[in-house]
């Protein structure tokens, strides 16, 4: 399973013996490691690509590793990406990025090493290949505009701890995002942002380049670089600020909120515009009878899985299946296209230039083939409508639940959902709420996903989607 550490460079083996044991200890402690509940794991390095080697001169060696994890309990094997730094001695202060100290070297996460982060950007900027990895810069949208990434960078810092992947901000200008859990196939975060760059969408952060590879003969997306929107605030934070303004000092809710509804109207416009650009760039289709039935079956399948994880869903199963059956019975001809796939308030950033959609990778645990399936754009609309409901529950932490507060939160979510749909309609020409059956099916389907996601990742929050399911099935 593993590639032996047998390649010897001027300074000894490329990977010191014991690397896999150190990784086996380090990986399960990472936020993005998806195999946490699966028991003991065996770890093997199945691919390693040296992209920088200055160990002999007292500098770092940088490698991209593909690591395979096999689980003792029979859970299917998972692949992860680890950009690895190796330096002589113990140059790194202890921290969560340190993987181990072996044979006089320190092994640590290369994203914490400014020199190596710069090297990755330089390789992308100059379009180099270190087989099997291709470092590519995106062709200029307008001719004569050079790729900016070859310039030296002076500072880099990791951002966000609670993420599925790992991001580093370079010079406050670029965001390098390294995908952690690997699925073969082109990641939609690259595919869709490439298409949106080509159509010069003003609602995405321009893509500058990517690192692409292959595993077992299939394509692999390893990393992307895009413009970092310095000073941007995400929709979740803005929603929280608006909700906090409604809350009086003595704990009562008062007023209608401030300008947030106007912001949300603009957000709806941005999402509809991105949908139009995606349809133009990557094509659209219609669902016939068979596809509608298959979609309803997939939704039922997820409900089956979710009921094992959240037994409380069982009492709603009849009403939920009715919503999916109504979808299956819709007249054929429902338009479908590529969509964001996991849209919520933290996936939209508000900066001076307006709203920007980020993170087009879809549901991070799903195989790429599933994420590439065309859907009604109402899938994203449903995701955002659910997010306003979440915000009303959670954006004001430590607030004791009380009926008046719940009513005020509900009224806030209703207003936000209304503003979003009106903004969406202003660009799409049709209010998503007119497609009642479709929107209801996608919305309850999303809530079922959330119940399962929360049970696995944030059990204290299961009550949020469960309350929505209770309300929507009454
Ligand atoms: N282009 C960008 N400009 C500014 N901040 C960004 C940008 N892209 C992502 N971020 C920030 O980084 C965080 C993680 O990015 P995201 O693409 O959502 O990664 P993940 O797949 O790990 O969730 C986001 O929540 C956002 O705050
Ligand atoms: O951001 P990710 O792509 O990793 O998405 C996953 O995590 C999200 C939580 O961080 C989760 O979103 C759910 O919680 C949000 C509030 O924290 C809420 O705004 C969303 O509406 C709700 O779905 C998302 O489902 C999951 O895929």
């Amino acid at each position: 399973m593993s590639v032996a550490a047998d390649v010897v460079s001027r300074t000894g083996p490329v990977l010191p013996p014991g690397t896999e044991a150190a990784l086996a200890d380090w990986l399960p402690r990472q936020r993005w490691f998806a195999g946490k509940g699966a028991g003991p794991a065996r770890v093997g390095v199945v691919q390693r690509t040296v992209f920088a080697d200055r160990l002999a001169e007292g500098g770092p060696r940088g490698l991209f590793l593909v690591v395979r994890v096999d689980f003792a309990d029979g859970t299917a094997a998972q692949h992860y990406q680890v950009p690895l730094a190796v330096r002589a001695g113990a140059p790194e202060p202890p921290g969560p990025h340190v993987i181990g100290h072996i044979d006089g070297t320190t092994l640590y996460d290369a994203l914490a090493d400014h020199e190596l982060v710069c090297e990755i950007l330089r390789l992308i900027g100059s379009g180099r290949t270190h087989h099997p990895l291709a470092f590519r810069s995106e062709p200029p949208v307008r001719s004569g505009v050079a790729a900016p990434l070859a310039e030296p960078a002076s500072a880099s810092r990791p951002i966000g701890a609670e993420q599925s992947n790992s991001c580093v901000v370079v010079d406050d200008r670029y965001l390098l995002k390294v995908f952690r859990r690997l699925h073969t196939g082109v990641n939609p975060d690259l595919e869709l942002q490439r298409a949106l760059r080509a159509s010069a969408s003003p609602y995405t952060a321009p893509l500058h380049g990517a690192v692409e590879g292959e595993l077992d003969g299939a394509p692999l997306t390893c990393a992307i670089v895009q413009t970092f929107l310095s000073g941007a605030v995400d929709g979740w934070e803005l929603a929280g600020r608006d909700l906090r303004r409604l809350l009086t000092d003595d704990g009562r809710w008062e007023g209608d909120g401030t300008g947030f509804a106007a912001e949300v109207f603009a957000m709806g416009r941005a999402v509809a515009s991105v949908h139009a650009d995606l349809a133009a760039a990557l094509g659209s289709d219609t669902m016939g009878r068979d596809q509608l039935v298959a979609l309803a079956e997939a939704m039922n399948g997820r409900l089956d899985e979710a009921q094992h994880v959240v037994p409380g869903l069982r009492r709603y199963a009849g009403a939920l299946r009715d919503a999916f059956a109504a979808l299956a019975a819709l007249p054929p001809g429902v338009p479908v296209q590529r969509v964001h796939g996991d849209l919520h308030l933290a996936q939209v950033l508000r900066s001076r230039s307006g709203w920007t959609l980020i993170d087009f990778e879809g549901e991070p645990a799903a195989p790429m083939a599933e994420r590439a399936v065309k859907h009604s754009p109402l899938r994203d609309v449903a995701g955002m409508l659910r997010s306003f409901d979440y915000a009303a529950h959670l954006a004001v932490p430590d607030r004791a639940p009380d009926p008046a507060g719940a009513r005020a939160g509900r009224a806030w979510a209703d207003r936000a959902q209304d503003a979003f749909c009106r903004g969406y309609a202003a660009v799409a020409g049709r209010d998503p709420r007119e497609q009642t059956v479709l929107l209801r099916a996608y919305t309850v389907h999303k809530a079922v996903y959330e119940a399962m996601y929360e049970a696995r990742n944030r059990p204290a929050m299961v009550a949020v989607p469960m309350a929505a399911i209770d309300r929507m099935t009454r």
Side-chain angles (χ1 to χ4, degrees), residues 164 236 342 344 347 359 387 390 446 449-450 453 458:
S164 312
W236 181 259
D342 193 17
H344 56 81
Q347 311 282 40
D359 198 5
S387 207
Y390 256 79
K446 177 75 179 185
Y449 164 80
E450 288 167 345
Y453 175 87
R458 310 184 293 189

Side-chain angles (χ1 to χ4, degrees), residues 253 402-414:
W253 293 83
D402 69 81
R407 269 197 307 278
R410 189 63 252 144
W412 178 92
D414 285 346

Side-chain angles (χ1 to χ4, degrees), residues 159 163-165 167 175 177 205 227-229 347 349 358-359 361:
I159 64 168
Q163 288 172 228
S164 312
N165 299 295
C167 294
L175 184 103
K177 174 171 174 176
T227 295
F228 175 68
L229 301 165
Q347 311 282 40
L349 305 182
I358 57 165
D359 198 5
E361 71 166 336

